[in-house]
Amino acid sequence: MEQKYHKKLVNASEMIKKAHQNKYAVGHFNINNLEWTKALLEVAQATNTPIILGASEGAIKYMGGYNLVVAMVNALLDSLEITVPVALHLDHGQSVESCKKAIDAGFSSVMYDGSHHPFAENVINTKEVVAYAKPNAVSVEAEIGTIGGEEDGVVGTGEIGDPKEASEMVATGIDFLAAGIGNIHGPYPTGWPGLNFQALEDIQTAAKIGMVLHGGSGIPQEQVKKAISLGISKINVNTELQIAFAAATRQYIEAGKDKPENGKGFDPRKLLKPGYEAIKTTFDELTAWFGCKGKA
Ligand code: 13P
């Protein structure tokens, strides 16, 4: 069957395989709007770095829908003359239907997150997503265990993935696997015990394919490096870019630069510029840690 996505987008399968073989991790950066997407594509191109643009269902809804996101990314790939490998990935697709919608719209990669279902159901649904994705050359990520995170002020630590489940999940034909290894979405709380490297090693031994580290914001550099050496080949980052964007915007506003008496600094193209630049700087730093910088 013909590939539905734009010829310039690629799936994430080759990128992750290459990273896994060469012991580095490709950065998955969540996008929230036009500025985010443009900043990331520009810096990826300027640094010759492959990139996975992640969009969650919530962010897709916020931006105007699946078609809007695909059209925006494809148009930017053209107008910015992007030549580095770019994948557009559905982050934490909550249902088989969401994954199919993303594939139909032109996403080149999807994650089916069935971690909140019993494992048997997670496997059945993942198989259905793989069967729909493969003829369209779309890569698939699935999850075992759960990723911790904050809900109503309570930080859950998540459930550690089971190596037996890892091999069963890999047998569905997925391209890369996310697993709970003590990682958490959002800022890490004080007293966080760190990543569970033994669990990562055991899951990697069973899975043998590239693994995904969710909650990539705020993990100390030594832990990131060790995780990569043990099989992490994709690192998902959202919060860190949001914090960098907000801090730079705050600094601009606190300096009074948006005040009409100080000129035209209230123009959104000026107001959003410091945050835009902060996204680029953060990408630059993180991709150097991940080892994917310059690997296009
Ligand atoms: P952070 O927001 O903690 O960086 O996590 C992002 C993520 O894992 C998206 O899937």
Side-chain angles (χ1 to χ4, degrees):
M1 202 196 270
E2 176 197 341
Q3 290 184 3
K4 282 186 182 143
Y5 59 83
H6 188 272
K7 63 180 183 334
K8 279 198 173 177
L9 278 174
V10 296
N11 67 40
S13 175
E14 284 311 310
M15 279 186 211
I16 300 298
K17 265 191 206 144
K18 206 169 137 192
H20 192 234
Q21 276 160 10
N22 295 291
K23 294 255 184 268
Y24 63 88
V26 179
H28 153 135
F29 294 92
N30 286 79
I31 54 172
N32 292 286
N33 57 21
L34 171 68
E35 284 74 16
W36 234 263
T37 315
K38 188 164 169 259
L40 287 169
L41 288 175
E42 276 181 352
V43 68
Q45 181 68 27
T47 56
N48 198 38
T49 303
I51 184 169
I52 299 170
L53 297 175
S56 64
E57 288 182 31
I60 291 168
K61 196 167 166 207
Y62 171 81
M63 286 185 270
Y66 290 88
N67 290 334
L68 180 288
V69 175
V70 171
M72 172 178 72
V73 172
N74 281 335
L76 286 172
L77 293 182
D78 274 338
S79 55
L80 300 174
E81 297 179 8
I82 302 296
T83 54
V84 295
V86 179
L88 177 58
H89 177 81
L90 172 67
D91 190 23
H92 291 285
Q94 294 294 304
S95 64
V96 173
E97 284 62 45
S98 320
C99 293
K100 289 183 177 175
K101 253 193 204 169
I103 294 168
D104 287 345
F107 277 65
S108 63
S109 187
V110 293
M111 172 187 191
Y112 170 66
D113 177 1
S115 62
H116 300 291
H117 292 298
F119 181 66
E121 204 178 324
N122 188 355
V123 170
I124 290 170
N125 290 347
T126 302
K127 274 188 190 157
E128 195 179 337
V129 172
V130 169
Y132 199 78
K134 290 299 140 178
N136 292 298
V138 167
S139 47
V140 179
E141 173 181 343
E143 180 172 317
I144 58 161
T146 61
I147 316 294
E150 196 208 288
E151 224 168 327
D152 295 331
V154 180
V155 180
T157 46
E159 245 175 69
I160 301 294
D162 173 348
K164 276 200 220 88
E165 293 187 354
S167 16
E168 213 178 310
M169 193 52 99
V170 170
T172 63
I174 56 165
D175 297 274
F176 30 97
L177 177 71
I181 50 165
N183 42 337
I184 294 173
H185 285 131
Y188 283 84
T190 35
W192 173 59
L195 295 174
N196 184 332
F197 292 112
Q198 189 57 54
L200 172 56
E201 223 175 316
D202 296 345
I203 297 167
Q204 173 61 199
T205 304
K208 298 184 181 69
I209 59 171
M211 285 179 54
V212 184
L213 181 63
H214 280 253
S217 300
I219 300 177
Q221 189 172 3
E222 325 76 69
Q223 291 195 38
V224 169
K225 291 215 154 126
K226 185 159 180 196
I228 293 170
S229 76
L230 294 173
I232 290 294
S233 313
K234 172 175 180 274
I235 303 183
N236 289 18
V237 178
N238 186 18
T239 303
E240 202 149 330
L241 292 186
Q242 294 189 353
I243 290 174
F245 184 92
T249 310
R250 170 186 294 279
Q251 206 179 21
Y252 180 91
I253 291 176
E254 283 181 350
K257 293 185 182 165
D258 61 319
K259 290 188 174 161
E261 59 268 33
N262 293 333
K264 287 268 182 84
F266 50 80
D267 178 335
R269 288 170 292 182
K270 295 198 169 79
L271 180 65
L272 300 179
K273 183 97 193 303
Y276 184 82
E277 295 301 334
I279 288 176
K280 290 187 171 185
T281 311
T282 309
F283 174 95
D284 215 34
E285 284 166 12
L286 290 178
T287 52
W289 287 21
F290 300 169
C292 62
K293 190 172 167 181
K295 293 281 184 359

